[in-house]
């Protein structure tokens, strides 16, 4: 049920806009308060007066609305609506609006609100199959997913064009259930907490153009950062080189080398209630970095020998500096003697628990959207999980930290 929930609906100019008045009725029936903003194109498909009557609120259809509207508490109406809503639903979301949000364009009431709300934003795309399958639309949606927008996938069925395919706005029941689920998940158990997360690989330079790196994509650490921010934490994400989008409300600090990662971690860890180290930091770096490109002809023999030296152990340092109320979580990527090695790491580095994964397992580790992990806890307990999405792994980690309940 949606009793007491405040739902902001953004309607854009798709033919499925006709499905929104009954959705507003359903939300109201379930006890929610509803406010609606619309694009100009949306008003071509559905009359704002209908929505005003059903939502019992005036509708914003213009960036500079009539100041006499009671829904407008001040000229900065977008700030007022942004703090009012528990959730924003954009439905139907046109390909055009999805593209605008992906690029941060805020030129109408819906796109302004998509950028300015503090709450989760659910986007329910509806369009012709060709528009849906277009790589531009898919790339924009992928950007939005990575930033933490919840995409409610369209359904396969008969479309307004008369064709059948993917692109239909889901029925009211499915939209309502999706909103309920997002609101259920959006409990703010990390509100007021500062969380430091590390992600991605490090690059250790050999010369100005070459480096020693690893295959880490950053997906696991970014998922933790996104989920922690969704649960109310103030998140700092220290990331090695990664193409991933920065999740909404996350402060991202970019580094390249293990040394830079070390320095940033030391700087930020003492201010953090929780530190989760998911980065794949290099254990070794070239002892000397050449200041010019090493040329083939400069090497007289057939071999070039690189002397490597150990990098500083970030997790061990943080374990030594750990404050009484701080939670410290590490990752162990092991391909053999997994448990034994991970337990040693857990104890040596003074961690609360360690997330162990073996990249050789099907569906686990580097680059994939899923992971197969076990949690080994300080008190000796062990939890073994089946293959999970990295978002789910992230939330399981946060659930364990939440239960430790240190403040
Ligand atoms: C009859 C008609 C139906 C349309 N239906 C859709 C649709 O279902 N989905 C979509 O993405 N665009 C659709 N469009 C295109 C959008 O209306 C157009 O891209 C518009 O600029 C969207 O503006 P907005 O995103 O600001 O609301 C349709 C256009 C017409 C003329």
């Amino acid at each position: 049920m949606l009793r007491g929930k405040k739902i902001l609906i953004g309607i854009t100019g798709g033919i499925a806009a006709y499905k929104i008045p009954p959705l507003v009725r359903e939300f109201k029936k379930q006890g929610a308060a509803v406010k609606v903003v619309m694009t100009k194109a949306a008003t071509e498909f559905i009359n704002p007066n209908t929505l005003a009557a059903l939502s019992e609120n005036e509708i914003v259809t213009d960036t500079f609305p009539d100041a006499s509207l009671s829904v407008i508490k001040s000229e900065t109406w977008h700030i007022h609506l942004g703090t009012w809503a528990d959730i924003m639903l954009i439905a139907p979301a046109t390909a055009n609006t999805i593209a605008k949000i992906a690029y941060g364009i805020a030129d109408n009431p819906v796109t302004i609100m998509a950028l300015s709300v503090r709450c989760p934003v659910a986007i329910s795309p509806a369009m012709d199959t060709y528009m849906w399958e277009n790589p531009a639309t898919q790339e924009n949606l992928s950007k939005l997913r990575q930033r933490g927008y919840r995409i409610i996938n369209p359904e396969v069925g008969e479309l307004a064009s008369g064709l059948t395919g993917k692109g239909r706005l889901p029925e009211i029941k499915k939209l309502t259930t999706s909103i309920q689920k997002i609101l259920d998940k959006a409990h703010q158990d990390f509100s007021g907490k500062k969380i430091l997360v590390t992600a991605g690989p490090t690059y250790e330079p050999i010369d100005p153009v070459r480096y020693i790196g690893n295959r880490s994509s950053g997906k696991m650490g970014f998922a933790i950062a996104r989920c922690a921010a969704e649960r109310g934490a103030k998140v700092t994400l220290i990331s090695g080189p990664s193409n991933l989008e920065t999740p909404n409300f996350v402060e991202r600090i970019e580094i390249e080398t293990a040394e830079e990662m070390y320095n940033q971690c030391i700087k930020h860890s003492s201010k953090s209630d929780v530190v989760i180290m998911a980065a794949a930091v290099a254990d070794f770096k070239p002892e000397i970095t050449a200041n010019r490109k090493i040329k083939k002809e400069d090497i007289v023999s057939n071999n070039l020998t690189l002397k490597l030296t150990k990098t500083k152990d970030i997790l061990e340092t943080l374990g030594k500096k750990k404050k009484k109320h701080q939670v410290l979580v590490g990752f162990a990527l092991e391909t053999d003697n997994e448990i034994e090695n991970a337990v040693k790491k857990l104890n040596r580095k003074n961690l609360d628990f360690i997330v162990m994964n073996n990249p050789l397992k099907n569906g686990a580790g580097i680059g994939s959207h899923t992971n197969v992990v076990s949690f080994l806890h300080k008190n000796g307990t062990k939890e073994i999980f089946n293959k999970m999405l990295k978002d789910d792994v992230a939330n399981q980690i946060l659930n364990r930290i939440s239960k430790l309940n240190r403040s």
Side-chain angles (χ1 to χ4, degrees):
M1 295 296 280
L2 296 168
R3 185 159 308 286
K5 298 294 178 200
K6 292 178 231 149
I7 304 176
L8 177 65
I9 303 182
I11 310 177
T12 69
I15 201 127
Y18 78 90
K19 291 186 179 171
I20 304 307
L23 182 69
V24 173
R25 275 180 90 158
E26 181 60 27
F27 285 167
K28 294 282 290 178
K29 211 167 93 189
Q30 294 206 18
V34 179
K35 291 185 181 178
V36 178
V37 293
M38 298 171 77
T39 63
K40 276 275 163 292
T43 64
E44 297 288 332
F45 292 90
I46 181 93
N47 191 317
N49 292 332
T50 310
L51 292 148
L54 292 171
S55 67
E56 297 174 282
N57 272 311
E58 287 149 334
I59 312 299
V60 183
T61 57
D62 199 342
T63 303
F64 302 98
D66 183 345
S68 66
L69 291 188
S70 64
V71 74
I72 312 297
K73 296 276 187 253
S74 71
E75 269 156 20
T76 50
W77 60 271
H78 60 301
I79 309 290
H80 160 69
L81 277 184
T83 49
W84 173 83
D86 294 318
I87 188 163
M88 178 176 187
L89 167 66
I90 304 180
T94 56
N96 177 57
T97 291
I98 289 165
K100 283 185 181 178
I101 300 171
Y103 285 91
I105 294 169
D107 64 348
N108 66 48
V110 175
T111 51
I112 290 171
M113 291 319 303
L115 289 192
S116 60
V117 287
R118 272 69 164 166
C119 58
V121 179
I123 296 182
S124 187
M127 62 197 71
D128 166 70
T129 306
Y130 278 34
M131 287 177 99
W132 168 254
E133 286 176 351
N134 191 295
T137 305
Q138 289 305 317
E139 199 180 308
N140 292 331
L141 284 164
S142 163
K143 277 199 177 110
L144 295 180
R145 257 186 219 106
Q146 286 177 32
R147 289 184 201 152
Y149 291 91
R150 316 312 207 278
I151 311 299
I152 303 172
N153 274 330
E155 292 181 341
V156 178
E158 201 181 313
L159 303 168
S161 58
L163 300 170
T164 299
K166 194 160 184 179
R168 259 174 79 90
L169 191 81
E171 295 307 323
I172 290 172
K173 198 164 168 223
K174 168 129 189 250
L175 288 174
T176 311
T177 316
S178 300
I179 294 301
Q180 279 168 341
K181 275 193 190 153
I182 295 167
L183 283 167
D184 284 350
K185 269 197 188 167
H187 58 290
Q188 302 282 294
D189 53 346
F190 283 92
S191 169
K193 298 279 180 201
K194 286 190 180 151
I195 301 196
L196 177 66
V197 184
T198 68
T202 60
Y203 287 178
E204 308 305 325
I206 297 170
D207 67 16
V209 290
R210 303 185 181 94
Y211 61 84
I212 298 176
N214 61 65
R215 295 180 197 278
S216 168
S217 63
K219 280 180 189 153
M220 190 63 248
F222 276 64
I224 297 170
R226 186 173 56 245
C227 295
E230 281 164 10
R231 290 167 70 159
K234 189 168 184 317
V235 182
T236 302
L237 172 67
I238 304 176
S239 172
S242 167
N243 292 330
L244 298 175
E245 295 286 324
T246 309
N248 283 348
F249 310 119
V250 167
E251 183 201 4
R252 175 175 183 167
I253 297 169
E254 294 188 347
I255 57 89
E256 261 194 32
T257 64
E259 180 85 22
E260 289 166 1
M261 176 75 89
Y262 178 92
N263 291 337
Q264 289 296 337
C265 285
I266 298 299
K267 185 171 165 194
H268 291 276
S269 63
S270 59
K271 295 175 259 169
S272 306
D273 302 295
V274 177
V275 179
I276 307 171
M277 300 283 295
V281 182
D283 293 326
F284 296 94
K285 63 177 183 178
E287 194 173 58
I288 297 166
T289 301
N291 51 18
R292 286 158 181 251
K293 185 181 172 219
I294 302 170
K295 291 194 165 176
K296 219 174 183 177
E297 44 279 22
D298 293 344
I299 311 294
V300 269
S301 76
N302 273 338
N303 303 316
L304 168 66
T305 305
L306 279 180
K307 196 165 174 199
L308 302 181
T309 180
K310 270 190 188 169
T311 55
K312 289 184 200 157
D313 194 318
I314 304 174
L315 206 47
E316 198 167 307
T317 311
L318 297 185
K320 282 185 188 143
K321 287 174 172 280
K322 190 172 153 206
K323 292 180 294 175
K324 198 166 164 225
H325 299 299
Q326 198 174 43
V327 177
L328 183 57
V329 179
F331 272 70
L333 191 129
E334 304 286 349
T335 52
D336 46 70
N337 292 332
E338 298 144 273
I339 305 262
E340 206 184 312
N341 289 336
V343 168
K344 273 190 202 156
K345 194 168 170 182
L346 169 78
N347 294 326
R348 196 172 68 242
K349 304 196 178 189
N350 189 23
L351 309 179
D352 290 278
F353 66 94
I354 194 158
V355 181
M356 190 192 74
N357 59 130
N358 178 345
L360 304 181
K361 281 194 180 152
N362 190 14
I366 289 171
S368 125
H369 285 294
T370 56
N371 210 348
V372 185
V373 298
S374 305
F375 296 169
L376 308 177
H377 296 267
K378 194 156 79 175
N379 63 9
T381 55
K382 187 167 73 188
E383 298 179 276
I384 299 170
F385 298 91
N386 291 328
K387 183 165 94 175
M388 277 190 281
L389 286 172
K390 285 186 174 168
D391 271 10
D392 293 333
V393 175
N395 276 316
Q396 291 290 356
I397 292 170
L398 293 168
N399 291 346
R400 301 304 176 282
I401 296 170
S402 190
K403 273 195 196 136
L404 288 171
N405 197 21
R406 295 185 196 147
S407 51

